[in-house]
Amino acid sequence: MRNKTTQTLSLIAVACVMLAALTSIVQSRAEQPGSFPEFSSYRTLPAGTSVLYEALRRSPGMTADRNIQPLGTVHFNDAAVLLLGILPISLIGDGPWFADMEELAGKGNRVIIGLLPHRTRFIQPEKDQLEDALQRWNIRLAFVHRTDVRDDEEDQLTPGWPMYFAQSKGWDNIRSENGKPVVIRKTLGKGSIVLMTNSFLLTNAALVEDRQTAFLSNLIGPVHRTIFDETHFGIEETGSIAALARRYRLQGLVLGLVLVASLFIWKSAAGFPPLWDRLQPVQVAKGEDTASAFLNLL
């Protein structure tokens, strides 16, 4: 019986060690710089925006936060909301996305949308579809040169302004390159929407190689809070049990439940108290003989 108890406890210990090791491996893998998408504020490589996030967070009178909640459920006021690395082709027919942007701006926020001057590598959209991706806002896109769309390269970090706004009726021009508008703005409700044809100037690489502080300051505007949206990269809080446990610091409760479960398994396997191994003397109960029992029955 002792051997069975030892085996059970050893199995539980090995399972706990394997679970801890697996959790550590997954966590270390997720924390690697290359695990996060390009233009994400979590990414510390050249294509990330972690430098800008840290700079704004440490600047006097400024705050910077990350949003991992669905945009349709968040409530920001007087903040600059950054959505970077947006593929124009992904916005075709996405009415709810346009509605969310307009709602954010209507509440007094400055919604800054940085586009990505690339097509996807494997799915080549029609030229008219790409140019009219922002048709809902009376905007038409165009490329300076046909070779600006580099389908054979995986790296989406492109300096300069290869794409521009060929049509932007009702929008104010903020910045032009070679006479072509590349950054435009439109007032909507209490706030505004700012569109950039390239997100490069906000990346870590640009802040090292081509830092344009005055442009970034004017881009963010007079607000004191900047929100880096991570949900359009797929980084979103799902509301799972594990997420709720981390949010409300219930790790101790989970550990206690695991301990109680382990004790229950040990009790079920070993018995409590454990059985006595030595032979017990046979106890004989003395009673009356058959005659006395028959008389008592009568």
Side-chain angles (χ1 to χ4, degrees):
M1 186 61 67
R2 290 182 178 178
N3 293 335
K4 186 176 180 180
T5 302
T6 304
Q7 293 176 359
T8 303
L9 294 178
S10 301
L11 182 61
I12 294 174
V14 170
C16 292
V17 171
M18 291 180 63
L19 181 61
L22 180 61
T23 303
S24 177
I25 293 174
V26 173
Q27 184 175 3
S28 62
R29 177 68 181 87
E31 292 177 352
Q32 292 182 3
S35 300
F36 297 101
E38 294 182 349
F39 304 101
S40 170
S41 61
Y42 289 104
R43 189 181 180 98
T44 57
L45 295 178
T49 56
S50 60
V51 174
L52 179 61
Y53 170 79
E54 292 295 336
L56 291 173
R57 191 172 65 89
R58 298 180 182 181
S59 299
M62 296 289 293
T63 59
D65 300 298
R66 295 184 175 101
N67 175 54
I68 55 175
Q69 301 289 339
L71 285 176
T73 62
V74 295
H75 302 282
F76 301 128
N77 292 314
D78 298 327
V81 184
L82 295 176
L83 295 96
L84 306 177
I86 301 292
L87 278 169
I89 195 65
S90 66
L91 304 179
I92 298 177
D94 193 356
W97 184 87
F98 288 95
D100 290 340
M101 299 302 104
E102 294 169 359
E103 183 179 358
L104 279 175
K107 293 179 179 178
N109 299 299
R110 189 181 182 93
V111 183
I112 303 172
I113 303 171
L115 301 177
L116 193 61
H118 282 258
R119 295 178 182 176
T120 56
R121 185 178 182 185
F122 300 104
I123 302 176
Q124 302 300 332
E126 295 293 336
K127 180 181 178 181
D128 292 340
Q129 290 181 337
L130 177 62
E131 295 177 350
D132 295 336
L134 301 176
Q135 185 178 7
R136 171 164 173 166
W137 287 343
N138 296 321
I139 293 175
R140 187 175 180 85
L141 300 172
F143 285 89
V144 178
H145 302 291
R146 184 177 297 275
T147 56
D148 287 334
V149 184
R150 299 179 294 177
D151 302 323
D152 57 340
E153 296 187 9
E154 294 184 359
D155 187 12
Q156 299 183 359
L157 194 62
T158 304
W161 303 95
M163 189 169 65
Y164 66 96
F165 298 108
Q167 176 184 336
S168 54
K169 184 179 180 180
W171 294 72
D172 299 326
N173 184 18
I174 296 180
R175 176 167 179 166
S176 298
E177 291 291 328
N178 298 322
K180 297 178 173 59
V182 294
V183 182
I184 58 178
R185 178 184 61 197
K186 182 177 182 179
T187 302
L188 194 63
K190 298 180 180 179
S192 61
I193 296 178
V194 179
L195 283 173
M196 305 173 57
T197 57
N198 197 356
S199 304
F200 173 76
L201 289 181
L202 285 78
T203 61
N204 300 336
L207 293 179
V208 174
E209 301 171 0
D210 186 20
R211 184 181 306 169
Q212 301 185 17
T213 307
F215 170 74
L216 295 177
S217 178
N218 293 330
L219 179 69
I220 295 175
V223 298
H224 300 283
R225 184 186 182 191
T226 305
I227 307 295
F228 288 74
D229 181 70
E230 301 288 338
T231 59
H232 66 286
F233 298 123
I235 305 174
E236 185 174 325
E237 186 173 299
T238 58
S240 61
I241 296 177
L244 291 175
R246 290 192 299 269
R247 180 177 181 181
Y248 294 103
R249 304 181 184 275
L250 300 178
Q251 293 89 338
L253 176 61
V254 175
L255 181 61
L257 293 176
V258 172
L259 180 60
V260 171
S262 301
L263 292 175
F264 175 78
I265 295 174
W266 172 72
K267 175 181 178 298
S268 301
F272 191 83
L275 298 177
W276 185 261
D277 294 337
R278 298 180 182 179
L279 296 177
Q280 297 290 335
V282 179
Q283 297 181 359
V284 181
K286 295 182 180 181
E288 300 176 342
D289 55 9
T290 55
S292 300
F294 182 71
L295 292 176
N296 292 334
L297 181 61
L298 294 176

